Amino acid sequence: MPASTVQNAELDRPLSAVLLGTGNPLPDPHRAGPATLVTAGTRRFLVDAGRGVCMRLAAVGVLPVMLEAVLLTHLHSDHICDLDDVVTTHWIMSRAPTALAVLGPEGTRRVADGALAMLGPDVSYRLAHHADLTWAPELDVREVGPGVVLDDADLRVVVGATDHRPVESTLAYRFEHGGRALVVAGDTVPCPGLDELCAGADVYIQTVLRDDLVRLVPMQRFVDTIDYHSTVEQAAQTAARAGVGTLVLTHQVPTPPPGAAEEWLALARRHFDGAVVFGEDLTEV
Ligand SMILES: [Zn+2]
Ligand SMILES: [Zn+2]
């Protein structure tokens, strides 16, 4: 295939997402932490940077230097704990000073500054060792709220406010490209901001929880998590209200055992007639 054809094929790539990590805060050998890669044409965005994100990016042939931006839904540890790995790998693989764009809710600058501070000793070692590496990692941080955060001929990215209180503020991201729309929501209960963002989207990716199962666990700290996550039923109801095409369940709590997918899908289908996908690591939609 001539090089130009390959290039055109990549330019024509429709809006799509890969669930890089579908895990929750508890470590799991089969699920990385929350992170989703969104591809629009030749542009790539990472939504959240949970445990193992760089490994999962590598699994789909993407390196941090290939990302246009990192978008954070909120600053809970499970969604940001490998941001430092993204920052370091982006930095050491850049051929020239290149700031990594990081968008997120209020507080993102503090987290980014903290990550850079934590990496300080490593940065000094590498600067001292490599003659051709003369710049420290740089982050182009934008704290954003509801509204359009990117709009050009090719792509529109819209931020919606979600409700994960007492965590404030929290965001979901809607990508529009090539006549399609895809929403990546972080942890949230159903709310008007999410409904509005999801309206008519082709794909809606939602972190979900099974309250019936979580209530069985004799640990109050775990039961507390019911307060601020969408249950599978609530995610399905949001999908139905917003008229989305496909609902994708991710970040399942508690971690489903092998073979449980059908049960989770059946719960969603009671409230939503569209397609429902049970997310596993590297599921593409
Ligand atoms: Zn989470
Ligand atoms: Zn959270």
Side-chain angles (χ1 to χ4, degrees):
M1 196 185 282
S4 60
T5 312
V6 173
Q7 208 175 27
N8 288 340
E10 179 152 63
L11 283 172
D12 286 342
R13 199 178 156 83
L15 185 64
S16 64
V18 177
L19 307 181
L20 297 170
T22 58
N24 57 56
L26 298 182
D28 183 281
H30 305 295
R31 289 173 183 264
T36 302
L37 175 70
V38 176
T39 303
T42 57
R43 304 163 75 170
R44 297 178 185 86
F45 298 83
L46 177 66
V47 182
D48 288 339
R51 183 182 294 130
V53 62
C54 288
M55 285 177 65
R56 289 293 191 258
L57 278 173
V60 291
V62 174
L63 294 163
V65 283
M66 297 156 73
L67 299 171
E68 183 165 330
V70 178
L71 314 176
L72 303 177
T73 61
H74 65 300
L75 305 176
H76 255 154
S77 58
D78 52 321
H79 295 252
I80 59 167
C81 67
D82 269 8
L83 179 63
D84 63 303
D85 196 11
V86 176
V87 172
T88 300
T89 311
H90 179 271
W91 170 54
I92 57 170
M93 295 189 75
S94 295
R95 292 179 187 278
T98 314
L100 174 64
V102 179
L103 277 67
E106 192 184 339
T108 299
R109 197 174 309 281
R110 191 171 147 218
V111 165
D113 288 346
L116 290 176
M118 184 268 272
L119 293 169
D122 175 77
V123 170
S124 69
Y125 307 145
R126 294 183 197 279
L127 288 177
H129 183 70
H130 304 291
D132 70 326
L133 187 61
T134 57
W135 60 91
E138 201 184 311
L139 300 180
D140 177 13
V141 177
R142 274 176 68 192
E143 294 189 350
V144 296
V148 177
V149 293
L150 192 160
D151 193 1
D152 55 38
D154 186 47
L155 177 71
R156 205 164 91 106
V157 180
V158 188
V159 170
T162 58
D163 184 352
H164 189 41
R165 284 175 287 173
V167 184
E168 289 183 277
S169 54
T170 60
L171 310 173
Y173 295 91
R174 176 183 175 114
F175 297 82
E176 298 173 353
H177 166 81
R180 285 171 59 85
L182 180 151
V183 173
V184 184
D187 300 344
T188 180
V189 294
C191 62
L194 183 61
D195 283 356
E196 197 183 319
L197 197 73
C198 287
D202 297 277
V203 175
Y204 158 46
I205 301 171
Q206 178 61 59
T207 71
V208 290
L209 169 147
R210 284 272 301 272
D211 59 329
D212 57 325
L213 300 180
V214 171
R215 280 183 217 287
L216 301 176
V217 180
M219 186 186 189
Q220 186 56 43
R221 201 177 297 167
F222 193 49
V223 176
D224 288 345
T225 62
I226 295 171
D227 298 346
Y228 59 8
H229 287 93
S230 285
T231 63
V232 174
E233 291 89 336
Q234 287 172 330
Q237 287 160 352
T238 297
R241 266 196 311 277
V244 307
T246 299
L247 165 65
V248 182
L249 309 176
T250 189
H251 180 291
Q252 297 95 337
V253 180
T255 305
E262 213 31 66
E263 199 180 303
W264 290 63
L265 291 170
L267 283 175
R269 287 186 186 125
R270 277 190 213 162
H271 302 273
F272 177 58
D273 290 336
V276 189
V277 174
F278 181 80
E280 315 249 18
D281 283 23
L282 302 179
T283 294
E284 185 168 1
V285 286

mmCIF file of all heavy atoms in Angstrom, residues 25 73-79 164 167 170 186-188 207 228-229 251, ligand 2:
data_model
loop_
_atom_site.group_PDB
_atom_site.id
_atom_site.type_symbol
_atom_site.label_atom_id
_atom_site.label_comp_id
_atom_site.label_asym_id
_atom_site.label_seq_id
_atom_site.Cartn_x
_atom_site.Cartn_y
_atom_site.Cartn_z
ATOM 1 N N PRO A 25 -10.573 1.169 42.407
ATOM 2 C CA PRO A 25 -9.396 1.396 43.258
ATOM 3 C C PRO A 25 -8.700 0.125 43.765
ATOM 4 O O PRO A 25 -7.501 0.157 44.057
ATOM 5 C CB PRO A 25 -9.966 2.206 44.435
ATOM 6 C CG PRO A 25 -11.129 2.940 43.838
ATOM 7 C CD PRO A 25 -11.732 1.980 42.857
ATOM 8 N N THR A 73 -11.194 13.462 34.587
ATOM 9 C CA THR A 73 -12.596 13.627 34.989
ATOM 10 C C THR A 73 -12.681 14.159 36.413
ATOM 11 O O THR A 73 -13.572 14.928 36.737
ATOM 12 C CB THR A 73 -13.369 12.298 34.911
ATOM 13 O OG1 THR A 73 -12.762 11.346 35.804
ATOM 14 C CG2 THR A 73 -13.380 11.749 33.490
ATOM 15 N N HIS A 74 -11.776 13.686 37.272
ATOM 16 C CA HIS A 74 -11.712 14.166 38.648
ATOM 17 C C HIS A 74 -10.406 13.696 39.254
ATOM 18 O O HIS A 74 -9.636 12.978 38.605
ATOM 19 C CB HIS A 74 -12.938 13.736 39.456
ATOM 20 C CG HIS A 74 -13.096 12.257 39.677
ATOM 21 N ND1 HIS A 74 -13.226 11.348 38.657
ATOM 22 C CD2 HIS A 74 -13.153 11.527 40.832
ATOM 23 C CE1 HIS A 74 -13.375 10.128 39.164
ATOM 24 N NE2 HIS A 74 -13.315 10.207 40.479
ATOM 25 N N LEU A 75 -10.165 14.096 40.486
ATOM 26 C CA LEU A 75 -8.832 13.913 41.062
ATOM 27 C C LEU A 75 -8.782 12.806 42.108
ATOM 28 O O LEU A 75 -7.850 12.762 42.922
ATOM 29 C CB LEU A 75 -8.347 15.256 41.635
ATOM 30 C CG LEU A 75 -8.370 16.387 40.590
ATOM 31 C CD1 LEU A 75 -7.973 17.724 41.219
ATOM 32 C CD2 LEU A 75 -7.467 16.061 39.397
ATOM 33 N N HIS A 76 -9.739 11.883 42.094
ATOM 34 C CA HIS A 76 -9.632 10.690 42.937
ATOM 35 C C HIS A 76 -8.402 9.893 42.484
ATOM 36 O O HIS A 76 -8.143 9.781 41.282
ATOM 37 C CB HIS A 76 -10.876 9.812 42.783
ATOM 38 C CG HIS A 76 -11.825 9.876 43.945
ATOM 39 N ND1 HIS A 76 -13.166 9.627 43.815
ATOM 40 C CD2 HIS A 76 -11.630 10.125 45.274
ATOM 41 C CE1 HIS A 76 -13.752 9.736 45.004
ATOM 42 N NE2 HIS A 76 -12.842 10.048 45.899
ATOM 43 N N SER A 77 -7.730 9.295 43.468
ATOM 44 C CA SER A 77 -6.446 8.646 43.189
ATOM 45 C C SER A 77 -6.520 7.592 42.085
ATOM 46 O O SER A 77 -5.598 7.484 41.274
ATOM 47 C CB SER A 77 -5.908 8.003 44.470
ATOM 48 O OG SER A 77 -6.858 7.064 44.952
ATOM 49 N N ASP A 78 -7.608 6.810 42.043
ATOM 50 C CA ASP A 78 -7.636 5.724 41.046
ATOM 51 C C ASP A 78 -7.641 6.253 39.615
ATOM 52 O O ASP A 78 -7.254 5.546 38.686
ATOM 53 C CB ASP A 78 -8.819 4.756 41.278
ATOM 54 C CG ASP A 78 -10.177 5.423 41.394
ATOM 55 O OD1 ASP A 78 -10.259 6.501 42.008
ATOM 56 O OD2 ASP A 78 -11.163 4.872 40.864
ATOM 57 N N HIS A 79 -8.037 7.519 39.438
ATOM 58 C CA HIS A 79 -8.113 8.099 38.087
ATOM 59 C C HIS A 79 -6.845 8.868 37.678
ATOM 60 O O HIS A 79 -6.714 9.257 36.515
ATOM 61 C CB HIS A 79 -9.340 9.015 37.985
ATOM 62 C CG HIS A 79 -10.623 8.249 38.128
ATOM 63 N ND1 HIS A 79 -11.473 8.007 37.072
ATOM 64 C CD2 HIS A 79 -11.170 7.631 39.197
ATOM 65 C CE1 HIS A 79 -12.496 7.271 37.492
ATOM 66 N NE2 HIS A 79 -12.334 7.039 38.779
ATOM 67 N N HIS A 164 -20.321 13.994 41.793
ATOM 68 C CA HIS A 164 -19.604 12.922 42.513
ATOM 69 C C HIS A 164 -19.284 13.441 43.914
ATOM 70 O O HIS A 164 -18.254 13.159 44.471
ATOM 71 C CB HIS A 164 -18.326 12.607 41.718
ATOM 72 C CG HIS A 164 -17.548 11.405 42.139
ATOM 73 N ND1 HIS A 164 -18.116 10.207 42.499
ATOM 74 C CD2 HIS A 164 -16.198 11.205 42.229
ATOM 75 C CE1 HIS A 164 -17.153 9.332 42.769
ATOM 76 N NE2 HIS A 164 -15.981 9.919 42.635
ATOM 77 N N VAL A 167 -16.740 14.950 46.178
ATOM 78 C CA VAL A 167 -15.632 15.308 45.291
ATOM 79 C C VAL A 167 -16.123 16.428 44.376
ATOM 80 O O VAL A 167 -17.096 16.252 43.643
ATOM 81 C CB VAL A 167 -15.190 14.099 44.430
ATOM 82 C CG1 VAL A 167 -13.983 14.457 43.588
ATOM 83 C CG2 VAL A 167 -14.912 12.900 45.313
ATOM 84 N N THR A 170 -16.273 17.774 39.331
ATOM 85 C CA THR A 170 -16.030 16.578 38.526
ATOM 86 C C THR A 170 -16.631 16.790 37.137
ATOM 87 O O THR A 170 -17.618 17.502 36.975
ATOM 88 C CB THR A 170 -16.634 15.317 39.186
ATOM 89 O OG1 THR A 170 -18.050 15.487 39.338
ATOM 90 C CG2 THR A 170 -16.017 15.078 40.558
ATOM 91 N N GLY A 186 -16.841 10.175 34.058
ATOM 92 C CA GLY A 186 -16.118 9.578 35.174
ATOM 93 C C GLY A 186 -17.107 9.097 36.212
ATOM 94 O O GLY A 186 -18.253 8.752 35.891
ATOM 95 N N ASP A 187 -16.696 9.093 37.468
ATOM 96 C CA ASP A 187 -17.585 8.663 38.543
ATOM 97 C C ASP A 187 -18.623 9.760 38.767
ATOM 98 O O ASP A 187 -18.267 10.925 38.973
ATOM 99 C CB ASP A 187 -16.780 8.455 39.837
ATOM 100 C CG ASP A 187 -15.694 7.394 39.675
ATOM 101 O OD1 ASP A 187 -15.758 6.623 38.704
ATOM 102 O OD2 ASP A 187 -14.797 7.356 40.535
ATOM 103 N N THR A 188 -19.891 9.384 38.776
ATOM 104 C CA THR A 188 -20.958 10.372 38.982
ATOM 105 C C THR A 188 -22.282 9.671 39.225
ATOM 106 O O THR A 188 -22.481 8.552 38.745
ATOM 107 C CB THR A 188 -21.093 11.305 37.751
ATOM 108 O OG1 THR A 188 -22.152 12.255 37.972
ATOM 109 C CG2 THR A 188 -21.401 10.540 36.474
ATOM 110 N N THR A 207 -18.736 4.837 34.314
ATOM 111 C CA THR A 207 -18.257 4.030 35.435
ATOM 112 C C THR A 207 -19.482 3.616 36.247
ATOM 113 O O THR A 207 -20.371 4.428 36.497
ATOM 114 C CB THR A 207 -17.266 4.817 36.314
ATOM 115 O OG1 THR A 207 -17.966 5.823 37.039
ATOM 116 C CG2 THR A 207 -16.176 5.478 35.482
ATOM 117 N N TYR A 228 -22.017 7.861 45.693
ATOM 118 C CA TYR A 228 -21.626 8.806 44.644
ATOM 119 C C TYR A 228 -21.225 8.178 43.307
ATOM 120 O O TYR A 228 -20.498 8.777 42.526
ATOM 121 C CB TYR A 228 -20.582 9.793 45.159
ATOM 122 C CG TYR A 228 -19.254 9.284 45.691
ATOM 123 C CD1 TYR A 228 -18.858 7.963 45.589
ATOM 124 C CD2 TYR A 228 -18.361 10.188 46.290
ATOM 125 C CE1 TYR A 228 -17.624 7.550 46.067
ATOM 126 C CE2 TYR A 228 -17.135 9.798 46.769
ATOM 127 C CZ TYR A 228 -16.766 8.474 46.662
ATOM 128 O OH TYR A 228 -15.550 8.077 47.129
ATOM 129 N N HIS A 229 -21.738 6.958 43.069
ATOM 130 C CA HIS A 229 -21.528 6.331 41.754
ATOM 131 C C HIS A 229 -22.881 6.004 41.123
ATOM 132 O O HIS A 229 -23.852 5.753 41.840
ATOM 133 C CB HIS A 229 -20.746 5.020 41.902
ATOM 134 C CG HIS A 229 -19.297 5.204 42.230
ATOM 135 N ND1 HIS A 229 -18.820 5.207 43.514
ATOM 136 C CD2 HIS A 229 -18.220 5.388 41.441
ATOM 137 C CE1 HIS A 229 -17.509 5.386 43.502
ATOM 138 N NE2 HIS A 229 -17.116 5.509 42.259
ATOM 139 N N HIS A 251 -15.199 0.389 34.843
ATOM 140 C CA HIS A 251 -14.870 0.694 36.244
ATOM 141 C C HIS A 251 -15.911 0.007 37.139
ATOM 142 O O HIS A 251 -16.440 0.594 38.078
ATOM 143 C CB HIS A 251 -14.893 2.232 36.373
ATOM 144 C CG HIS A 251 -14.602 2.850 37.693
ATOM 145 N ND1 HIS A 251 -15.433 2.758 38.775
ATOM 146 C CD2 HIS A 251 -13.600 3.654 38.113
ATOM 147 C CE1 HIS A 251 -14.950 3.460 39.794
ATOM 148 N NE2 HIS A 251 -13.833 4.010 39.415
HETATM 149 ZN ZN ZN B 2 -14.126 8.889 42.012
#
